[in-house]
Amino acid sequence: MEMPKPDAAVLARRVELIGALRRIVPGEGVIVDADELRAYESDGVMAYRQMPLVVVLPSTTEQVSEVLRFCHEAGVKVVPRGAGTSLSGGALPLADGVLLGMSKFNRILEIDWEDRCVRVQPGVTNLGITTAVAHRGFYYAPDPSSQIACTIGGNVAENSGGVHCLKYGLTTNNVLGVEMVLMNGEVVRLGGKHLDSEGYDLLAAVTGSEGLLGVVTEVTVRILPKPETARALLLGFPTVEGGGQCVAEIIAAGIIPGGMEMMDRPAIHAAEDFVHAGYPLDVDGLLIVELDGPEAEVDHLIAEVERIARGCGATYARVSSSEEERLTFWAGRKSAFPAVGQIGPDYLCMDGTIPRKELPRVLRAMTEMSQRHGLRVANVFHAGDGNLHPLILYDANRPGEIEKAEAFGADILKLCVDVGGVLTGEHGVGVEKRDLMPYQFQPEDLTHQQRLKCAFDPDGLLNPGKVFPQLHRCAEMGRLHVHRGQIPFPDIPRF
Amino acid sequence: MTSVQTPAQDGAPTGPSVLKPATEAQAHEVLRWAVAEEQPVELVGGGTKRAIGRPVQAAHRLDFSGLRGISLYEPEELVLSAAAGTPLAEIEATLAARRQQLAFEPADPGPLFGRPAGTQTLGGVVSANLSGPRRIKAGAARDHVLGCRAVSGHGELFKAGGRVVKNVTGYDLPKLFTGAWGTLVALTEVTLKVLPAPEHERTLLLLGLDDAAAIQALSSALCSPHEVAGAAHLPAAMAAGIPGAAEQGAAVTAIRLEGFAPSVAYRAGLLEKALGGKAATAALEGGASAAFWRAVRDVAPFVARPERAVWRISVAPRRGPAVLGELAARLGAEGYYDWGGGLIWLGTDPAGDAGAAAVRAAVGGEGHATLLRAPEAVRTAVPVFHPQAPALAALSARVKQTYDPRDILNPGRMTAGI
């Protein structure tokens, strides 16, 4: 994995740049000391590390605007960062770049109960929004597993998901508006408390753009009334295929569960050892199905899902009889990553999405790859929407093993693309999957994505080296490649 | 591919030529030529929305209605792909046969523009981001667009997005192209998320409420955990044209519940108990409920008032009554609310600016108003889409420039430059 070569001229101007940044963000808001900078050298992907040129922690939109305008004019790169929980290296610093930390934007600005939305600064945590509105029976729906730490600004950048996406959508479906600063320092507002866009839906383009288009300084999200009740089923199958069949039949019956998660045998055992959730150990596939809504509906659907599961060969079925039991069902799934961390010194977490019906084929191929690469793999799976999280176990202390794990991971992601899926469902491309982009997209597909960047940041100063394996100059992509003088449509009459 | 020419007298300048590709490759070929020769084209599907937006001045019309067919439908995967020219009616019938639907409930704009119902295409629906009453619960058209194939103003055919719901691989271009009115790319194929159709529906009606009390009641319903899937209010004069509401002879505030029958009955009971104290109530079941919401969706009150210019206004829901109240007083306008008060369908006198100055002043910077139906002269003189702040307008213009640098695709449809 290579990052853009640092600009020696910028490195040479470090002292001067720091002085200018200090004039914009006074006091402790500019960090230059190596010991303090180290806290920012990586995000959730610890394998990638890089010390930034300098860290700037602005506290107002005006400061963000001035910092960006200054960097734009000085030709200095900027990497935005929220809580730094990215699982794809989206906030990995650049040696010649300013790391723009948004942690001081941590206030909830307005809770509008009547219009069912909340206006917050981007450094507020995902869970912080739900916590602020829970006392009146509301919550914010997307719930990535890092929700205690990850910020809403980072969620917008990554279009974060969670276990409830199938029914309630991703970040993009729950954000109503943002205030955003462009690389040239201009401030734009997209959306608001009203629905839909008056012109181009730039909010949709910005959500999930991994910090390449602008720096979000305010976010308006919709909040939902908490469902009256939620109950979960734990369903065990002798084969993962049986579980996959059950998922398909639940959806075919017109049921959209609040959550539907699957684990394979290695993941079940790791989770059970770790939290003792009471999972059955004699099954190859374990499905957690959560139904939420009005009590009358949940009771009706629990029975319906159990009937479908039996028909698909479930050998184990347990319905949560209390809130405590429901949370126990989830405890194992939610701690699957650390649980797997217990059985192998290190693990790589992959994030492909596949059409659900391809699950048996993908799992069989993964077993074969596991043998070929000589590394173990455990699978947790957002079964409802086909998002796989294979956890590849390796030992970083053994020479060459990280490379083996990365090669195994790349094979899995390519397989996801081969069966009609995608490289990343919710963790983002970042630097981690950047070089695989040409496997999913043709050159003209990628060019059309990069052309969007030209409208927002034509000089490519914002978070370069992420998402796209090759940086093209906007002038080059803007040039039309046309051949004039051909006789068009020889097969149709001319007038 | 077929190509026809608008009839022209000898010696007279010719009208627009109409090109009707039968395949994606032919559509690509035409657009490559248009780009090379700098020939602007108007993109047309079923033609139901040709009278929306600023009039497009183009020498050529590219008719996508020959590009049709569902290429992929996997009900258990909740996904469907179809060519852009596929009639929406065909898609809806295909889904209905498997008890599924497009949850964003696209309106049929045909009748509002004096055209037949049931003729719009998938490409048109997506390009206009048309979403109906269920938008408040299920999201807009853009929330259901997973992927697309398209030809840009560079004359290049490309794909974006995918066929799975969870996908953050690169920018979400399909959503950007949704609602772009064909000014960024020409869509050739669209992949949509589809959802199970509800087994049952019931609409609770509250009768005789004034606008402010009605929107407050809708807000209470939407703040409840009862999963409201439609929240509209029609003042008495507007209700008169709506099946199921006309019979009530009063203002009608409507709350739709959908789902499994026992769940609908349970939630309806709780909502009636919570809100029934404020007004007399009635209920519409099944087909009667569906007919009511179809009329709300398709703007039936203004289909029946062809003399009115029609505005579509989106604001924060609780601002609804103040905005409509002000415009009723200033312009003699009339209208009704959907989306819990957040969507106002407003009818004005089409003379002059059709009320544009007053409408835009009432909406201000927090929301937007689109002049959906008005005579061509008004749509030429008055900004049809809500004017944007300068930095945002400049950014939008750069987005247009990056995808259609020669201004070939539906030039001027949205603003003078877009």
Side-chain angles (χ1 to χ4, degrees):
Chain A
M1 199 273 306
E2 267 182 62
M3 293 303 284
K5 210 168 140 41
D7 184 337
V10 170
L11 295 177
R13 288 169 58 204
R14 183 167 187 257
V15 173
E16 172 206 333
L17 295 173
I18 287 168
L21 290 166
R22 282 214 157 114
R23 281 190 287 280
I24 301 170
V25 182
E28 58 178 15
V30 175
I31 297 173
V32 300
D33 184 70
D35 286 344
E36 288 177 74
L37 288 179
R38 200 161 298 285
Y40 297 89
E41 71 174 352
S42 69
D43 56 19
V45 187
M46 304 292 190
Y48 305 132
R49 289 170 194 275
Q50 171 62 56
M51 293 281 272
L53 183 72
V54 52
V55 171
V56 180
L57 306 175
S59 52
T60 65
T61 300
E62 292 69 30
Q63 287 178 353
V64 173
S65 168
E66 281 184 57
V67 168
L68 291 182
R69 183 180 297 119
F70 168 76
C71 290
H72 182 242
E73 282 162 11
V76 175
K77 296 163 193 149
V78 176
V79 176
R81 176 182 167 116
T85 57
S86 169
L87 293 175
S88 55
L92 181 69
L94 293 166
D96 59 342
V98 171
L99 188 87
L100 193 66
M102 298 301 286
S103 54
K104 292 193 173 175
F105 283 75
N106 58 4
R107 286 188 304 127
I108 291 176
L109 300 173
E110 182 192 0
I111 301 175
D112 184 340
W113 303 104
E114 230 178 309
D115 289 333
R116 303 165 295 282
C117 59
V118 178
R119 209 155 53 82
V120 298
Q121 293 188 319
V124 172
T125 62
N126 173 292
L127 191 61
I129 299 177
T130 290
T131 306
V133 298
H135 66 286
R136 287 185 57 173
F138 284 88
Y139 74 113
Y140 174 62
D143 57 345
S145 55
S146 56
Q147 69 181 145
I148 298 171
C150 67
T151 63
I152 189 68
N155 288 181
V156 170
E158 301 292 329
N159 190 15
S160 307
V163 297
H164 292 97
C165 297
L166 181 65
K167 187 167 178 184
Y168 298 105
L170 300 132
T171 302
T172 190
N173 313 112
N174 288 280
V175 169
L176 295 172
V178 297
E179 177 189 77
M180 186 179 76
V181 186
L182 303 180
M183 189 64 215
N184 65 8
E186 284 184 324
V187 181
V188 293
R189 292 191 78 87
L190 309 174
K193 291 181 182 176
H194 57 280
L195 295 175
D196 295 342
S197 175
E198 64 272 43
Y200 293 144
D201 193 345
L202 301 179
L203 181 59
V206 163
T207 309
S209 63
E210 304 199 20
L212 269 70
L213 299 182
V215 177
V216 167
T217 47
E218 187 188 305
V219 184
T220 304
V221 298
R222 68 169 186 152
I223 50 171
L224 299 178
K226 213 168 155 238
E228 206 175 73
T229 191
R231 290 170 76 190
L233 287 116
L234 211 51
L235 302 166
F237 297 85
T239 61
V240 174
E241 284 88 341
Q245 178 64 23
C246 182
V247 169
E249 289 193 19
I250 289 170
I251 286 169
I255 301 168
I256 302 291
M260 188 145 58
E261 296 288 309
M262 188 140 69
M263 298 160 78
D264 70 359
R265 183 179 276 265
I268 299 166
H269 283 252
E272 181 58 23
D273 287 350
F274 194 60
V275 296
H276 310 293
Y279 290 169
L281 296 173
D282 57 346
V283 296
D284 264 12
L286 184 70
L287 202 55
I288 308 173
V289 182
E290 179 163 294
L291 296 149
D292 61 4
E295 272 180 40
E297 178 172 320
V298 171
D299 289 348
H300 169 73
L301 294 182
I302 286 271
E304 201 55 22
V305 168
E306 189 169 350
R307 187 185 59 73
I308 292 169
R310 297 284 184 196
C312 293
T315 52
Y316 179 92
R318 204 166 103 212
V319 180
S320 68
S321 55
S322 65
E323 183 63 6
E324 193 189 353
E325 191 173 16
R326 181 183 76 86
L327 295 174
T328 308
F329 286 5
W330 280 111
R333 165 61 187 89
K334 291 204 166 174
S335 62
F337 290 10
V340 168
Q342 295 287 300
I343 58 173
D346 303 285
Y347 67 88
L348 262 186
C349 173
M350 309 313 292
D351 173 46
T353 305
I354 57 169
R356 274 187 310 268
K357 63 173 180 185
E358 301 289 351
L359 178 64
R361 179 175 154 196
V362 168
L363 287 178
R364 269 196 306 274
M366 234 187 272
T367 306
E368 182 272 320
M369 287 176 195
S370 164
Q371 285 159 2
R372 183 153 43 87
H373 290 280
L375 293 174
R376 288 181 296 164
V377 62
N379 264 291
V380 296
F381 182 47
H382 299 301
D385 41 35
N387 189 195
L388 293 167
H389 290 314
L391 303 165
I392 300 170
L393 299 165
Y394 72 100
D395 183 348
N397 289 327
R398 290 161 83 168
E401 200 143 275
I402 172 82
E403 289 78 11
K404 256 169 47 180
E406 283 176 341
F408 185 1
D411 283 350
I412 292 174
L413 296 185
K414 287 177 179 176
L415 177 65
C416 291
V417 174
D418 291 343
V419 301
V422 299
L423 295 170
T424 172
E426 56 184 357
H427 295 172
V429 177
V431 290
E432 191 212 15
K433 288 165 281 265
R434 183 193 70 186
D435 296 341
L436 289 171
M437 288 290 273
Y439 197 81
Q440 182 177 334
F441 295 108
Q442 296 299 311
E444 58 274 23
D445 305 336
L446 285 175
T447 304
H448 277 88
Q449 291 198 28
Q450 289 180 277
R451 281 185 175 126
L452 182 64
K453 169 89 165 164
C454 297
F456 285 79
D457 172 26
D459 300 329
L461 292 171
L462 204 49
N463 219 5
K466 314 290 166 67
V467 184
F468 300 106
Q470 275 182 307
L471 299 175
H472 295 289
R473 293 168 59 85
C474 287
E476 178 196 326
M477 288 190 292
R479 204 174 295 137
L480 280 163
H481 300 279
V482 293
H483 306 284
R484 299 184 65 111
Q486 294 169 347
I487 296 172
F489 338 123
D491 57 330
I492 52 170
R494 305 295 307 153
F495 300 96
Chain B
M1 171 148 52
T2 55
S3 170
V4 292
Q5 181 76 25
T6 310
Q9 302 301 319
D10 276 347
T14 55
S17 70
V18 180
L19 295 155
K20 191 174 173 183
T23 64
E24 182 183 69
Q26 287 180 347
H28 183 200
E29 187 192 357
V30 171
L31 286 164
R32 244 185 1 213
W33 163 80
V35 171
E37 298 296 324
E38 297 191 50
Q39 296 288 321
V41 291
E42 181 188 3
L43 308 175
V44 178
T48 51
K49 302 172 205 67
R50 287 196 67 213
I52 304 178
R54 298 176 77 250
V56 172
Q57 301 291 336
H60 309 277
R61 193 181 303 156
L62 189 48
D63 178 346
F64 276 83
S65 62
L67 224 66
R68 58 190 290 176
I70 296 169
S71 50
L72 173 124
Y73 176 37
E74 294 177 2
E76 64 288 349
E77 300 275 339
L78 305 175
V79 64
L80 177 143
S81 302
T86 309
L88 189 72
E90 182 183 327
I91 290 170
E92 288 182 326
T94 302
L95 292 172
R98 301 296 300 263
R99 297 181 58 186
Q100 293 192 334
Q101 66 178 8
L102 299 177
F104 56 93
E105 203 178 10
D108 184 344
L112 187 64
F113 295 92
R115 303 176 76 104
T119 56
Q120 67 178 337
T121 63
L122 174 61
V125 168
V126 171
S127 293
N129 190 27
L130 281 187
S131 318
R134 202 183 291 105
R135 196 253 177 271
I136 46 170
K137 175 164 184 277
R142 61 89 111 168
D143 293 296
H144 296 78
V145 174
L146 302 178
C148 65
R149 293 172 59 83
V151 182
S152 71
H154 292 264
E156 295 162 3
L157 177 67
F158 68 102
K159 69 163 189 294
R163 54 157 290 183
V164 291
V165 175
K166 254 186 158 174
N167 177 11
V168 295
T169 321
Y171 301 131
D172 199 344
L173 296 183
K175 285 189 177 59
L176 172 65
F177 301 147
T178 302
W181 294 91
T183 63
L184 296 178
V185 297
L187 296 168
T188 57
E189 185 187 81
V190 178
T191 298
L192 294 168
K193 166 183 163 182
V194 302
L195 282 169
E199 181 187 288
H200 188 68
E201 69 172 275
R202 181 191 292 182
T203 296
L204 174 66
L205 301 179
L206 307 174
L207 307 177
L209 292 179
D210 66 35
D211 290 11
I215 300 308
Q216 212 160 37
L218 292 178
S219 176
S220 310
L222 287 163
C223 286
S224 79
H226 302 316
E227 301 189 357
V228 170
H233 172 69
L234 296 110
M238 292 273 114
I242 299 245
E247 301 84 315
Q248 309 297 341
V252 166
T253 309
I255 300 164
R256 175 168 64 178
L257 300 168
E258 297 176 328
F260 298 95
S263 166
V264 169
Y266 170 81
R267 285 179 282 151
L270 289 177
L271 271 177
E272 189 164 356
K273 210 152 91 186
L275 301 172
K278 295 178 176 132
T281 63
L284 302 172
E285 291 284 340
S289 169
F292 171 87
W293 289 102
R294 210 158 33 240
V296 169
R297 182 194 79 178
D298 294 345
V299 208
F302 292 112
V303 173
R305 292 168 173 77
E307 73 285 359
R308 289 282 199 179
V310 178
W311 289 87
R312 185 176 183 276
I313 301 172
S314 176
V315 290
R318 70 164 149 186
R319 287 186 61 208
V323 170
L324 179 47
E326 180 187 331
L327 294 170
R330 281 186 64 182
L331 299 172
E334 52 184 348
Y336 70 96
Y337 309 84
D338 197 355
W339 297 356
L343 177 66
I344 301 168
W345 290 104
L346 183 82
T348 60
D349 181 345
D353 70 350
V359 170
R360 258 81 197 230
V363 172
E366 288 279 314
H368 50 92
T370 307
L371 179 53
L372 205 67
R373 185 178 75 184
E376 190 168 316
V378 180
R379 286 183 287 118
T380 309
V382 168
V384 170
F385 294 91
H386 204 74
Q388 298 179 322
L392 181 56
L395 178 60
S396 298
R398 293 199 296 275
V399 171
K400 165 74 173 175
Q401 161 74 21
T402 201
Y403 286 111
D404 183 21
R406 288 188 169 180
D407 214 7
I408 298 301
L409 303 170
N410 279 353
R413 180 98 189 244
M414 295 183 78
T415 69
I418 297 177

